Amino acid sequence: MARITLEDLGGLADEPLEEDEEEPADGAEQTRLFSHWETVASSHQVTLPPEMADPIVQMTQHRQVREPVPYVTLLQQEKCGEVAYEDRQYPAGKWACITKGEPMYEQSISMGFMKLMRYICKENSIGRYLGMTVPVVNEIHLNEEGTELLRDVTTAYYLPGEFQPDPPLPMDPEIRIVERQPLRVITRVFYGVTTEESILREIRLLWELLGSTDTVLHEAYMVAAYENPSVPQRRNEIWFIRRAE
């Protein structure tokens, strides 16, 4: 399978509709939407699979504001008058997760998120659109030298608040519902596309800001994606995971 980025599939909708409003797309509109995203995909040397047509329409029809994953900011560290990084606490919560181990990072997150997208868009036990949350988080691991990403990448979608007590079950056996424990992270914003090269660069930059410390993991990190691919300098974050105290 050719490459398509998470951001290309995760940012299909920007204008809010009423929650229950769902205007059926006619054949011409569905073709137009799919053609648009084929063009986006082709810019990343990708063939968009036909089974993504309906999820694309569903995401477009439900263009409500995305629900943020809840967190508390514990500390902001400034440098030259700007926030260099934040220390955050995320509460325990239920996430839909899928792990892929493709040859390239972009392939793993793409294939994983396309499956999550179908889960969000009615391929679940209640047969309805669940709503989008941000960020979508990708957990990555580095080799011992810290020079390369390992193949396995876990892509995670936070269940909206109304589904936290009783998450709908996925139809896809590769997707699992995980109750994650509270998570404390050091996070730094960066902008643009996410590739293995850009991720490794951002990890190095945050290490330079933090200096030597054993309070965070050295082998596991998270990449958080927030925005629509039409935004040239879209927002992402690199997360360093605090060790349990």
Side-chain angles (χ1 to χ4, degrees):
M1 180 178 177
R3 290 181 295 159
I4 183 169
T5 67
L6 167 64
E7 296 90 338
D8 291 328
L9 291 174
L12 298 176
D14 299 312
E15 298 176 8
L17 289 178
E18 293 299 322
E19 182 176 354
D20 296 327
E21 185 177 353
E22 183 173 333
E23 298 177 359
D26 59 23
E29 177 66 4
Q30 182 166 335
T31 299
R32 185 192 68 80
L33 287 170
F34 191 80
S35 177
H36 169 72
W37 288 102
E38 274 191 317
T39 301
V40 174
S42 67
S43 70
H44 295 270
Q45 304 175 39
V46 171
T47 299
L48 192 66
E51 59 266 27
M52 291 305 300
D54 186 61
I56 286 171
V57 171
Q58 291 294 325
M59 292 285 268
T60 304
Q61 288 176 334
H62 294 84
R63 295 187 291 250
Q64 69 265 38
V65 175
R66 297 169 184 181
E67 181 179 325
V69 179
Y71 69 89
V72 174
T73 300
L74 304 175
L75 173 71
Q76 285 188 337
Q77 182 64 45
E78 294 189 357
K79 183 176 181 180
C80 301
E82 296 183 353
V83 176
Y85 59 85
E86 290 187 350
D87 191 341
R88 296 181 189 162
Q89 180 75 46
Y90 286 83
K94 296 184 178 72
W95 298 70
C97 302
I98 185 168
T99 299
K100 288 292 185 180
E102 302 304 314
M104 299 182 66
Y105 169 80
E106 296 95 324
Q107 291 174 321
S108 292
I109 63 171
S110 300
M111 294 179 71
F113 188 72
M114 282 191 284
K115 284 177 170 281
L116 288 176
M117 189 172 168
R118 294 198 290 272
Y119 165 67
I120 295 165
C121 297
K122 296 188 177 182
E123 289 188 19
N124 55 66
S125 57
I126 61 173
R128 57 168 281 198
Y129 179 76
L130 304 181
M132 195 62 201
T133 61
V134 290
V136 171
V137 178
N138 299 288
E139 184 174 345
I140 59 173
H141 294 79
L142 271 59
N143 61 5
E144 290 185 4
E145 297 77 20
T147 57
E148 294 180 357
L149 304 187
L150 301 184
R151 285 193 177 186
D152 282 357
V153 179
T154 298
T155 299
Y157 154 77
Y158 182 81
L159 273 297
E162 75 172 288
F163 300 116
Q164 281 292 315
D166 187 19
L169 298 178
M171 307 302 288
D172 190 327
E174 288 191 75
I175 298 173
R176 61 198 187 280
I177 304 300
V178 176
E179 184 165 8
R180 290 185 163 180
Q181 296 303 304
L183 179 69
R184 187 173 171 183
V185 297
I186 303 294
T187 175
R188 174 175 166 81
V189 175
F190 68 100
Y191 295 90
V193 298
T194 54
T195 63
E196 180 168 352
E197 180 181 7
S198 67
I199 290 167
L200 290 172
R201 181 180 65 246
E202 294 302 323
I203 289 173
R204 288 193 298 269
L205 288 173
L206 186 46
W207 273 117
E208 290 174 5
L209 288 169
L210 287 179
S212 179
T213 177
D214 291 325
T215 63
V216 298
L217 301 180
H218 288 243
E219 67 280 0
Y221 303 86
M222 293 181 173
V223 181
Y226 285 84
E227 289 187 293
N228 190 312
S230 65
V231 179
Q233 289 296 310
R234 49 191 176 266
R235 179 189 173 193
N236 312 285
E237 292 171 347
I238 191 73
W239 290 5
F240 284 17
I241 305 166
R242 287 275 197 183
R243 295 185 187 276
E245 296 181 354

